[in-house]
């Protein structure tokens, strides 16, 4: 070994040991310092893709709040050239050098610690200059590179982009990487002059690089104070489309040149929704410009960087000739979500990741208001909140769930917090609050909150306070009620309740109690503790007042958190039903006594079924199937509710039914009774299938978007269970496509059902069909289309082809991008034939897969649910559980996903043991009844 190297190694080891002794080891930065401003210069060297790097300097002005002898920052994977570090005292105009006596690192928390020669005293300002460099990342976090193929030049083009949330700014520059350290940023990017550079703010000036030929420095204007996770920049050769909405800030949409014509939709939608938010929140968008950027490789759907919002291509681009209504709605939802963050998240930020839901729950909820406003033809609000509730009714019924607001320490815990609970449950409880406070109070409370905390940080108590104040001003809540008391029961507590309604028909009263709804029946009933403040809205068969969603009464909790039963008076007699939770205004389920269910079933199965509001029809299906799952109802009652569906023509109740039936299909697919299930489905949906003209291309003549979506979903469900001519017509369409001269230009398959047709044709098709579709995958220029094709290929029943696809998924040099790996694997695992192969693949290749994604954990966590969905025997359960337990080394960063996976398997097994026979008894009985008629 070279002597110099050995010397360096000894120094390094010595340094490492002393550093661990001295180490500051708390998970939050010390509170002695506060960054006042950052000047960040980044020179990006992209000329040689094999060695793409960046060099940076950061100048941080730091205010001292408390005596300290060190500066502790975040820095990860950066090489810091300590010979150039300077620390200067900059008060009162004169500069005086301090010095750094030593440095240390604490890798557990990504700390870089500079010990100072002299103590730093409160009230003083220091200027710290750090020089650093690193490789551009190939994983999709920090400052990384992405690429696309330039078809004309037949070349790969490289670009760069950042992804910093939640804790990856530290991978790109040393900084105080916690959301509460807000500061203005002055970003300057050095790059070859052939590239464009973008950042949060508009360009201030561009000047030639002092030494590198053809390189320039682009300096951006100083930003408003913001958290590090919102900083963004990019070097690229993309095209852009400016929006033209008058009076707004300049708004541009960016994509690779070949996809620029897919930017029209979002270039128009984005500014409209931004304008709506300005009115809703009463605060103008505070930056002088906004860009939205579609990057070919992106870990997430989208990221709300202030003024430079980044999306995966599928999430931003819309092609008139390839995008279905569903994919357009997803795009609208995503743009509305990220733009909502410009206020909820960017302007007012959570103090710490514990309250991430204030960002994500709000953006999710407000986005639904935004899309509904711009697309009134879509019934978007109802669709969105029903979907959210459906998700959390399942997810939050697990013991492995957690409260919306919970303690967070490590980066992996922060990552795990981006889940259905923060998003969907967060959004659902905000909607509940909107409904019980009323629109005016809700809006005025929010405005106060945003004004009070703008450019600052907040926690949930701050929100409760603003809303309580508005509620009391407007008499929207009784004076002895506080928003905090009510909402803490939803945000600090795991789960949600079932309300049991037991009516006394003689006295016209009902007794209401609550208990947590839990799927796992091994947990004894006495564990169903907890109490929620439940707003009670209800209506009766005579009143039919579904539009009144403000609470008539409340289920309350005692100071000790125990639930107080409630008696409701003045209810009708034994010939009339009551329904609680009108329009599903709060996230709870309702169970009734058998007489009330009987009355409801009678109305549903009569001409008057539409007298029950469409959302509550969907609710009845959702609730009764959940109750049957746990044995709180029986499947006869559940199928009794479902029976009216042959009359139903509205999307939500049918969607609820399709979802419940698809879950059950998963459980019974490989059992001897599956034939009964298929017959039952056929009887249930064949009439509607005929009426909507099946899979035939009548989409052009459908006026209502709801019917269009209904037809799409019905066809998908029908093909899955081989109803009517669904399979044969799909094969016809596909054959037709195969026979056209230029299949990449001409596609006779109706856009809305392409996913269904491709999947069905591949499932029942040949090797040649698969090869044909794979070629289309390689050639398409539309990201959403590429996704649809990639997932449809996994529908094959041919094990060799499935194996081939599995082998391609985790190949860094292959044709499947890392961002698509988890979804593709999931899709193979969801396939009846693919499940065993996928499981075997995971077991044998976990080490490789782990390294492929490392250190990003989101994708790894996504591999488990589909595998566990298919487990439904004790033996499979035990096997998979053993595998998970023995693979702890790889799975320790995704603890939450592993726990959910285990519980998910367990509840499927319990269903088999408890409900299988009963379910088929009920199905056979229904089939006999129908046959007799
Ligand atoms: N802030 C998130 C992006 C994010 C997610 C960062 C996870 C770090 C970890 C962004 O606002 C978001 O919620 N994106 C969603 C899509 C959105 C349309 C719901 C996503 O990427 O899944
Ligand atoms: Zn978000």
């Amino acid at each position: 070994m070279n002597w110099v190297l050995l010397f360096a190694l000894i120094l390094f080891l010595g340094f490492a040991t002393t550093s661990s002794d001295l180490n500051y080891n708390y998970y939050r930065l010390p509170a002695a310092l506060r960054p006042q401003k950052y000047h960040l210069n980044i020179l990006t060297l992209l000329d040689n893709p094999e060695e793409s790097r960046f060099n940076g300097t950061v100048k941080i002005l730091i205010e001292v709040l408390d005596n300290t002898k060190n500066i502790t920052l975040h820095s990860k994977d950066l090489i810091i050239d300590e010979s150039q570090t300077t620390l200067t005292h900059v008060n009162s105009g004169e500069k005086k050098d301090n010095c750094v006596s030593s440095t240390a690192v604490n890798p557990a928390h990504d700390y870089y610690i500079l010990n100072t020669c002299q103590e730093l005293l409160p009230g003083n300002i220091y200027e710290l200059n750090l020089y650093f460099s690193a490789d551009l990342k190939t994983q999709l976090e920090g400052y990384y590179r992405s690429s696309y193929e330039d078809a004309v030049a037949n070349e790969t083009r490289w670009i760069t982009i950042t992804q910093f949330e939640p804790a990856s700014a530290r991978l790109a520059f040393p900084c105080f990487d916690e959301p509460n350290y807000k500061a203005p940023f002055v970003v300057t990017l050095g790059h070859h002059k052939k590239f464009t550079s973008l950042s949060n703010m508009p360009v201030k000036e561009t000047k030639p690089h002092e030494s590198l030929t053809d390189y320039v420095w682009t300096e951006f204007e100083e930003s408003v104070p913001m958290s590090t996770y919102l900083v963004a920049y990019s070097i690229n050769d993309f095209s852009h489309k400016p929006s033209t909405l008058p009076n707004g800030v300049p708004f541009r949409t960016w994509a690779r040149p070949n996809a620029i014509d897919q930017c029209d939709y979002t270039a128009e939608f984005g500014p409209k929704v931004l304008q709506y938010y300005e009115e809703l929140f009463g605060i103008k968008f505070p930056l002088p410009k906004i860009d939205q950027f579609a990057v070919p490789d992106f870990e997430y759907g989208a990221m709300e960087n202030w003024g430079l919002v980044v999306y995966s291509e599928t999430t931003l681009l819309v092609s008139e000739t390839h995008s279905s209504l569903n994919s357009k709605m997803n795009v609208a939802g995503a743009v509305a979500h990220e733009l909502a963050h410009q206020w909820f998240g960017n302007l007012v930020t959570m103090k710490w990741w514990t309250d991430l839901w204030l960002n994500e729950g709000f953006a999710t909820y407000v986005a639904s208001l935004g899309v509904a406003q711009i697309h009134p033809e879509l019934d978007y609000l109802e669709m969105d909140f029903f979907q959210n509730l459906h998700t959390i009714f399942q997810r939050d019924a697990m013991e492995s769930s957690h409260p919306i607001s919970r303690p967070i320490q490590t980066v992996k815990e922060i990552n795990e917090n981006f889940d259905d609970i923060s998003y969907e449950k967060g959004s659902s409880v905000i909607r509940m609050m909107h409904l019980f406070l009323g629109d005016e109070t809700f809006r005025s409370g929010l405005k106060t909150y945003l004004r009070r905390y703008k450019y600052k940080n907040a926690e949930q108590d701050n929100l409760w306070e603003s809303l309580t104040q508005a509620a009391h001003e407007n008499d929207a809540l009784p004076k002895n009620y506080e928003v905090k008391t009510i909402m803490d029961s939803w945000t600090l507590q795991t789960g949600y309740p079932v309300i049991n309604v037991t009516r006394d028909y003689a006295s016209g009263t009902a007794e209401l109690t609550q208990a947590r709804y839990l799927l796992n029946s091994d947990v004894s009933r006495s564990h169903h503790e907890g109490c929620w403040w439940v707003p009670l809205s209800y209506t009766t068969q005579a009143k039919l007042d579904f539009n009144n969603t403000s609470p008539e009464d409340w289920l309350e909790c005692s100071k000790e958190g125990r639930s107080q039963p409630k008696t409701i008076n003045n209810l009708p007699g034994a010939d009339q039903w009551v329904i609680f939770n009108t329009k599903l205004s709060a996230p709870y389920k309702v169970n009734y006594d058998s007489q009330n269910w009987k009355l409801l079933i009678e109305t549903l199965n009569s001409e008057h079924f539409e007298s029950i509001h469409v959302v509550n029809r969907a609710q009845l299906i959702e609730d009764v199937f959940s109750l049957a799952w746990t044995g709180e109802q029986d499947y006869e009652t559940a199928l009794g509710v479902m029976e009216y569906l042959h009359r139903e023509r509205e999307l939500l109740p049918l969607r609820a039914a399709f979802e419940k039936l698809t879950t059950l299909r998963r459980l019974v697919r490989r059992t001897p009774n599956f034939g009964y299930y298929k017959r039952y489905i056929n009887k249930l949906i064949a009439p509607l299938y005929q009426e909507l003209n099946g899979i035939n291309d009548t989409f052009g003549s459908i006026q209502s978007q709801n019917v269009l979506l209904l037809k799409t979903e019905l066809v998908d469900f029908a093909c899955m269970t081989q109803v009517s001519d669904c399979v044969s017509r799909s094969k016809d369409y596909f054959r037709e496509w195969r026979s056209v001269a230029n299949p990449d230009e001409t596609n006779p398959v109706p856009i809305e059902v392409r996913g269904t047709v491709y999947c069905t044709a591949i499932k029942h098709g040949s090797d040649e069909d698969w090869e044909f579709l794979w070629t289309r995958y390689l050639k398409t220029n539309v990201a959403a289309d590429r996704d649809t094709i990639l997932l449809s290929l996994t529908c094959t029943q041919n094990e060799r082809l499935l194996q081939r696809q599995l082998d391609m998924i985790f190949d860094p040099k292959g044709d499947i991008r890392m961002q698509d790996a988890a979804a593709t694997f999931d899709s193979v695992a969801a396939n009846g034939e693919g499940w065993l192969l996928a499981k075997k693949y995971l077991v044998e290749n976990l080490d490789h897969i782990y390294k492929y994604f490392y250190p990003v954990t989101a994708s790894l966590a996504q591999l488990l649910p589909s595998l566990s969905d298919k487990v439904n025997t004790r033996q499979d359960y035990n096997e998979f559980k053993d595998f998970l337990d023995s693979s702890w080394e790889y799975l320790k960063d995704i603890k939450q996903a592993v726990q959910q996976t285990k519980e998910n398997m367990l509840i499927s097994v319990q269903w088999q043991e408890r409900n299988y026979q009963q379910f088929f008894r009920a199905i056979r009985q229904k089939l006999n009844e129908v046959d007799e008629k």
Side-chain angles (χ1 to χ4, degrees), residues 440-638:
E440 208 188 313
T441 302
F442 182 70
R443 283 178 188 232
S444 82
L446 284 193
K447 281 185 185 166
T448 314
Y449 167 78
L450 287 171
R451 266 198 307 272
R452 219 174 258 170
Y453 296 100
K454 65 180 177 189
Y455 304 114
K456 298 205 275 263
N457 297 73
E459 51 196 348
Q460 64 174 28
D461 279 353
N462 303 129
L463 176 68
W464 307 152
E465 197 190 320
S466 300
L467 286 163
T468 301
Q469 195 185 335
H472 288 163
E473 275 164 22
N474 293 349
D475 280 334
L477 270 188
K479 286 275 180 287
N480 58 340
Y481 274 42
E482 301 239 321
V483 174
K484 178 174 165 59
T485 325
I486 299 165
M487 293 306 290
D488 276 356
S489 78
W490 293 93
T491 58
L492 301 181
Q493 197 172 206
T494 311
Y496 62 88
V498 187
I499 308 301
N500 284 299
V501 178
T502 315
R503 294 178 61 186
D504 180 334
Y505 292 86
S507 63
T509 59
E511 181 82 3
L512 269 59
T513 57
Q514 58 165 303
R516 179 168 178 205
Y517 178 80
L518 271 176
L519 286 162
N520 182 350
S521 55
D522 285 354
V523 185
S524 89
R525 291 276 146 170
S526 60
H527 273 81
H528 290 217
E529 54 195 18
C531 180
W532 290 262
W533 283 72
V534 183
L536 297 169
S537 56
Y538 57 91
T539 192
T540 66
Q541 196 163 351
K543 284 204 189 118
L544 297 177
D545 184 8
F546 286 93
N547 282 328
N548 183 10
T549 48
S550 55
E552 309 269 336
D553 215 324
W554 288 83
L555 258 185
E556 299 182 345
C557 309
S558 70
K559 283 229 156 30
E560 299 73 42
R562 257 194 289 285
S563 135
Q564 324 272 65
K566 179 118 222 162
T567 307
I568 305 275
N569 299 311
N570 300 324
L571 294 177
D575 58 342
Q576 278 193 39
W577 48 252
V578 299
I579 287 185
F580 278 81
N581 207 3
T582 46
K583 285 198 189 162
L584 270 172
S585 42
Y588 62 91
K589 292 188 176 290
V590 193
N591 198 1
Y592 303 99
D593 55 67
S594 54
Q595 172 65 9
N596 199 66
W597 276 116
K598 192 168 146 271
L599 292 166
L600 284 167
I601 291 173
E602 266 168 32
T603 299
L604 284 175
N605 285 300
S606 75
E607 298 292 306
H608 307 295
F609 71 98
E610 282 170 313
S611 65
I612 299 176
H613 190 276
V614 57
V615 173
N616 285 93
R617 302 207 292 279
Q619 171 212 26
L620 291 173
I621 294 173
E622 167 71 41
D623 284 1
V624 81
F625 272 83
S626 303
L627 295 165
W629 184 291
T630 50
E632 287 157 272
Q633 271 304 330
D634 48 50
Y635 275 101
E636 279 79 21
T637 311

Side-chain angles (χ1 to χ4, degrees), residues 634-637 639 673 676-677 680 911 914-929:
D634 48 50
Y635 275 101
E636 279 79 21
T637 311
L639 297 186
N673 281 328
Y676 291 112
Y677 171 90
Y680 176 75
W911 186 91
R914 186 181 54 234
N915 293 332
Y916 179 81
Q917 297 300 346
Q918 205 230 335
F919 175 64
F920 277 108
R921 229 185 1 260
I923 289 241
R924 280 205 299 271
Q925 188 189 329
K926 280 283 165 249
L927 286 170
N928 290 339
E929 279 172 23

Side-chain angles (χ1 to χ4, degrees), residues 54-191:
F54 63 94
N55 299 331
T57 62
V58 66
K59 174 165 92 185
I60 317 177
L61 287 178
I62 302 171
E63 182 184 347
V64 185
L65 304 173
D66 242 325
N67 297 40
T68 177
K69 283 214 69 182
N70 69 69
I71 298 176
T72 301
L73 305 155
H74 288 106
S75 169
K76 191 179 173 194
D77 297 351
L78 296 171
I79 300 167
I80 299 180
D81 178 0
E82 298 190 335
S83 69
Q84 300 206 61
T85 302
T86 62
L87 179 66
T88 325
H89 182 205
V90 293
N91 283 44
S92 62
E94 64 173 294
K95 292 197 170 186
K96 245 178 34 210
D97 284 349
N98 196 333
C99 63
V100 176
S101 53
S102 63
T103 61
V105 292
N106 179 345
H109 300 293
D110 307 328
Y111 291 150
Y112 177 64
I113 304 162
L114 302 109
N115 296 310
T116 58
C117 301
Q118 287 141 35
E119 187 167 45
L120 311 180
L121 302 174
N124 291 315
I125 312 285
Y126 282 84
E127 180 187 303
L128 173 68
N129 276 288
L130 295 169
Y131 289 72
F132 55 92
S133 63
D135 288 337
L136 277 166
K137 299 247 165 230
T138 48
Q139 304 302 63
L140 312 179
E141 63 170 10
Y143 187 35
Y144 71 92
R145 56 177 213 189
S146 167
S147 69
Y148 69 95
E149 295 308 311
D150 178 341
V152 182
N154 198 16
E155 268 174 15
T156 305
R157 302 249 178 254
W158 293 93
I159 67 145
T160 65
I161 188 71
T162 51
Q163 169 57 39
F164 289 170
E165 192 181 19
S168 297
R170 64 190 68 170
L171 275 68
F173 61 97
C175 57
F176 294 80
D177 199 9
E178 291 183 0
N180 57 324
Y181 289 119
K182 291 195 176 187
F185 279 82
V186 180
V187 174
T188 305
L189 298 177
H191 53 90

Side-chain angles (χ1 to χ4, degrees), residues 165 302-304 337-338 341 344 356 359-361 363-364 418 423:
E165 192 181 19
M303 174 64 211
E304 69 267 23
H337 177 107
E338 303 313 331
H341 273 312
F344 278 100
L356 174 68
N359 272 16
E360 297 303 347
T364 304
F418 287 83
Y423 282 70

